[in-house]
Amino acid sequence: MDIRWQKSSFSEQPEGNCLELAAGEAVVLMRESDAPEGVIATTPERLRTLVAGVKAGEFDALL
């Protein structure tokens, strides 16, 4: 499978240092651009739930 990683346009550093995503077959892959060997797989639904929580501020205390 040809994996095409996508980085956020909010990432200001051209060499990376951000979270990258890629679509797989029924999964979404995630990795840190500065440590690309570690890949996490999740479902699109679980990622949508996480993004909704981030947008709602549920994780603001972690920042």
Side-chain angles (χ1 to χ4, degrees), residues 8-25:
S8 170
S9 62
F10 288 92
S11 177
E12 297 176 7
Q13 300 174 347
E15 69 277 358
N17 197 24
C18 70
L19 188 66
E20 297 177 317
L21 300 175
E25 292 183 29

PDB file of all heavy atoms in Angstrom, residues 8-25:
ATOM      1  N   SER A   8      -0.398  19.010   8.835  1.00  0.00           N
ATOM      2  CA  SER A   8      -1.232  20.199   8.973  1.00  0.00           C
ATOM      3  C   SER A   8      -0.554  21.434   8.398  1.00  0.00           C
ATOM      4  O   SER A   8       0.658  21.616   8.541  1.00  0.00           O
ATOM      5  CB  SER A   8      -1.546  20.451  10.447  1.00  0.00           C
ATOM      6  OG  SER A   8      -2.157  21.710  10.615  1.00  0.00           O
ATOM      7  N   SER A   9      -1.336  22.299   7.793  1.00  0.00           N
ATOM      8  CA  SER A   9      -0.806  23.577   7.302  1.00  0.00           C
ATOM      9  C   SER A   9      -0.421  24.483   8.468  1.00  0.00           C
ATOM     10  O   SER A   9       0.272  25.472   8.281  1.00  0.00           O
ATOM     11  CB  SER A   9      -1.837  24.276   6.412  1.00  0.00           C
ATOM     12  OG  SER A   9      -3.006  24.563   7.153  1.00  0.00           O
ATOM     13  N   PHE A  10      -0.834  24.140   9.689  1.00  0.00           N
ATOM     14  CA  PHE A  10      -0.475  24.909  10.872  1.00  0.00           C
ATOM     15  C   PHE A  10       0.942  24.591  11.355  1.00  0.00           C
ATOM     16  O   PHE A  10       1.464  25.264  12.224  1.00  0.00           O
ATOM     17  CB  PHE A  10      -1.467  24.665  12.013  1.00  0.00           C
ATOM     18  CG  PHE A  10      -2.802  25.303  11.777  1.00  0.00           C
ATOM     19  CD1 PHE A  10      -3.815  24.599  11.159  1.00  0.00           C
ATOM     20  CD2 PHE A  10      -3.039  26.606  12.163  1.00  0.00           C
ATOM     21  CE1 PHE A  10      -5.048  25.172  10.933  1.00  0.00           C
ATOM     22  CE2 PHE A  10      -4.272  27.198  11.938  1.00  0.00           C
ATOM     23  CZ  PHE A  10      -5.281  26.476  11.316  1.00  0.00           C
ATOM     24  N   SER A  11       1.538  23.545  10.812  1.00  0.00           N
ATOM     25  CA  SER A  11       2.903  23.195  11.187  1.00  0.00           C
ATOM     26  C   SER A  11       3.847  24.216  10.570  1.00  0.00           C
ATOM     27  O   SER A  11       3.939  24.352   9.364  1.00  0.00           O
ATOM     28  CB  SER A  11       3.253  21.791  10.682  1.00  0.00           C
ATOM     29  OG  SER A  11       4.586  21.490  10.986  1.00  0.00           O
ATOM     30  N   GLU A  12       4.554  24.937  11.433  1.00  0.00           N
ATOM     31  CA  GLU A  12       5.405  26.027  10.966  1.00  0.00           C
ATOM     32  C   GLU A  12       6.820  25.584  10.642  1.00  0.00           C
ATOM     33  O   GLU A  12       7.576  26.322  10.033  1.00  0.00           O
ATOM     34  CB  GLU A  12       5.445  27.134  12.020  1.00  0.00           C
ATOM     35  CG  GLU A  12       4.084  27.758  12.255  1.00  0.00           C
ATOM     36  CD  GLU A  12       4.100  28.791  13.358  1.00  0.00           C
ATOM     37  OE1 GLU A  12       5.185  29.122  13.865  1.00  0.00           O
ATOM     38  OE2 GLU A  12       3.026  29.278  13.711  1.00  0.00           O
ATOM     39  N   GLN A  13       7.215  24.408  11.055  1.00  0.00           N
ATOM     40  CA  GLN A  13       8.576  23.952  10.839  1.00  0.00           C
ATOM     41  C   GLN A  13       8.630  23.029   9.629  1.00  0.00           C
ATOM     42  O   GLN A  13       8.010  21.968   9.626  1.00  0.00           O
ATOM     43  CB  GLN A  13       9.093  23.235  12.074  1.00  0.00           C
ATOM     44  CG  GLN A  13       9.113  24.125  13.300  1.00  0.00           C
ATOM     45  CD  GLN A  13       9.499  23.356  14.549  1.00  0.00           C
ATOM     46  OE1 GLN A  13       9.520  22.146  14.551  1.00  0.00           O
ATOM     47  NE2 GLN A  13       9.813  24.077  15.602  1.00  0.00           N
ATOM     48  N   PRO A  14       9.366  23.392   8.588  1.00  0.00           N
ATOM     49  CA  PRO A  14       9.399  22.573   7.381  1.00  0.00           C
ATOM     50  C   PRO A  14       9.980  21.181   7.606  1.00  0.00           C
ATOM     51  O   PRO A  14       9.654  20.247   6.885  1.00  0.00           O
ATOM     52  CB  PRO A  14      10.259  23.382   6.412  1.00  0.00           C
ATOM     53  CG  PRO A  14      10.981  24.380   7.233  1.00  0.00           C
ATOM     54  CD  PRO A  14      10.199  24.579   8.497  1.00  0.00           C
ATOM     55  N   GLU A  15      10.846  21.004   8.610  1.00  0.00           N
ATOM     56  CA  GLU A  15      11.453  19.699   8.841  1.00  0.00           C
ATOM     57  C   GLU A  15      10.545  18.762   9.622  1.00  0.00           C
ATOM     58  O   GLU A  15      10.883  17.623   9.850  1.00  0.00           O
ATOM     59  CB  GLU A  15      12.794  19.839   9.571  1.00  0.00           C
ATOM     60  CG  GLU A  15      12.693  20.312  10.998  1.00  0.00           C
ATOM     61  CD  GLU A  15      12.576  21.816  11.158  1.00  0.00           C
ATOM     62  OE1 GLU A  15      12.606  22.542  10.158  1.00  0.00           O
ATOM     63  OE2 GLU A  15      12.438  22.253  12.295  1.00  0.00           O
ATOM     64  N   GLY A  16       9.402  19.224  10.033  1.00  0.00           N
ATOM     65  CA  GLY A  16       8.462  18.331  10.701  1.00  0.00           C
ATOM     66  C   GLY A  16       8.065  18.810  12.077  1.00  0.00           C
ATOM     67  O   GLY A  16       7.706  19.953  12.261  1.00  0.00           O
ATOM     68  N   ASN A  17       8.143  17.899  13.029  1.00  0.00           N
ATOM     69  CA  ASN A  17       7.773  18.158  14.409  1.00  0.00           C
ATOM     70  C   ASN A  17       6.274  18.396  14.562  1.00  0.00           C
ATOM     71  O   ASN A  17       5.841  19.340  15.205  1.00  0.00           O
ATOM     72  CB  ASN A  17       8.571  19.327  14.995  1.00  0.00           C
ATOM     73  CG  ASN A  17       8.515  19.344  16.498  1.00  0.00           C
ATOM     74  OD1 ASN A  17       8.298  18.324  17.113  1.00  0.00           O
ATOM     75  ND2 ASN A  17       8.700  20.500  17.084  1.00  0.00           N
ATOM     76  N   CYS A  18       5.500  17.555  13.947  1.00  0.00           N
ATOM     77  CA  CYS A  18       4.048  17.640  14.078  1.00  0.00           C
ATOM     78  C   CYS A  18       3.444  16.261  13.857  1.00  0.00           C
ATOM     79  O   CYS A  18       4.128  15.314  13.495  1.00  0.00           O
ATOM     80  CB  CYS A  18       3.466  18.647  13.092  1.00  0.00           C
ATOM     81  SG  CYS A  18       3.565  18.108  11.399  1.00  0.00           S
ATOM     82  N   LEU A  19       2.163  16.166  14.056  1.00  0.00           N
ATOM     83  CA  LEU A  19       1.428  14.929  13.836  1.00  0.00           C
ATOM     84  C   LEU A  19       1.042  14.840  12.369  1.00  0.00           C
ATOM     85  O   LEU A  19       0.554  15.803  11.787  1.00  0.00           O
ATOM     86  CB  LEU A  19       0.168  14.907  14.714  1.00  0.00           C
ATOM     87  CG  LEU A  19      -0.627  13.620  14.748  1.00  0.00           C
ATOM     88  CD1 LEU A  19       0.189  12.516  15.414  1.00  0.00           C
ATOM     89  CD2 LEU A  19      -1.915  13.825  15.492  1.00  0.00           C
ATOM     90  N   GLU A  20       1.280  13.687  11.760  1.00  0.00           N
ATOM     91  CA  GLU A  20       0.904  13.457  10.367  1.00  0.00           C
ATOM     92  C   GLU A  20      -0.161  12.365  10.317  1.00  0.00           C
ATOM     93  O   GLU A  20      -0.155  11.449  11.137  1.00  0.00           O
ATOM     94  CB  GLU A  20       2.121  13.015   9.547  1.00  0.00           C
ATOM     95  CG  GLU A  20       3.209  14.049   9.465  1.00  0.00           C
ATOM     96  CD  GLU A  20       4.428  13.564   8.716  1.00  0.00           C
ATOM     97  OE1 GLU A  20       4.849  12.408   8.934  1.00  0.00           O
ATOM     98  OE2 GLU A  20       4.961  14.330   7.918  1.00  0.00           O
ATOM     99  N   LEU A  21      -1.056  12.460   9.347  1.00  0.00           N
ATOM    100  CA  LEU A  21      -2.121  11.480   9.166  1.00  0.00           C
ATOM    101  C   LEU A  21      -2.065  10.905   7.759  1.00  0.00           C
ATOM    102  O   LEU A  21      -1.633  11.576   6.820  1.00  0.00           O
ATOM    103  CB  LEU A  21      -3.491  12.129   9.366  1.00  0.00           C
ATOM    104  CG  LEU A  21      -3.775  12.755  10.722  1.00  0.00           C
ATOM    105  CD1 LEU A  21      -5.116  13.469  10.710  1.00  0.00           C
ATOM    106  CD2 LEU A  21      -3.747  11.716  11.810  1.00  0.00           C
ATOM    107  N   ALA A  22      -2.533   9.678   7.635  1.00  0.00           N
ATOM    108  CA  ALA A  22      -2.657   9.030   6.331  1.00  0.00           C
ATOM    109  C   ALA A  22      -3.868   8.112   6.375  1.00  0.00           C
ATOM    110  O   ALA A  22      -4.175   7.521   7.410  1.00  0.00           O
ATOM    111  CB  ALA A  22      -1.406   8.226   5.985  1.00  0.00           C
ATOM    112  N   ALA A  23      -4.554   8.024   5.253  1.00  0.00           N
ATOM    113  CA  ALA A  23      -5.717   7.139   5.153  1.00  0.00           C
ATOM    114  C   ALA A  23      -5.269   5.767   4.673  1.00  0.00           C
ATOM    115  O   ALA A  23      -4.512   5.655   3.707  1.00  0.00           O
ATOM    116  CB  ALA A  23      -6.745   7.717   4.189  1.00  0.00           C
ATOM    117  N   GLY A  24      -5.714   4.742   5.378  1.00  0.00           N
ATOM    118  CA  GLY A  24      -5.486   3.372   4.958  1.00  0.00           C
ATOM    119  C   GLY A  24      -6.832   2.733   4.651  1.00  0.00           C
ATOM    120  O   GLY A  24      -7.844   3.422   4.570  1.00  0.00           O
ATOM    121  N   GLU A  25      -6.843   1.434   4.488  1.00  0.00           N
ATOM    122  CA  GLU A  25      -8.101   0.737   4.229  1.00  0.00           C
ATOM    123  C   GLU A  25      -8.880   0.616   5.538  1.00  0.00           C
ATOM    124  O   GLU A  25      -8.524  -0.168   6.407  1.00  0.00           O
ATOM    125  CB  GLU A  25      -7.817  -0.637   3.633  1.00  0.00           C
ATOM    126  CG  GLU A  25      -7.221  -0.561   2.245  1.00  0.00           C
ATOM    127  CD  GLU A  25      -7.027  -1.942   1.653  1.00  0.00           C
ATOM    128  OE1 GLU A  25      -7.794  -2.866   1.995  1.00  0.00           O
ATOM    129  OE2 GLU A  25      -6.101  -2.074   0.853  1.00  0.00           O
TER     130      GLU A  25
END
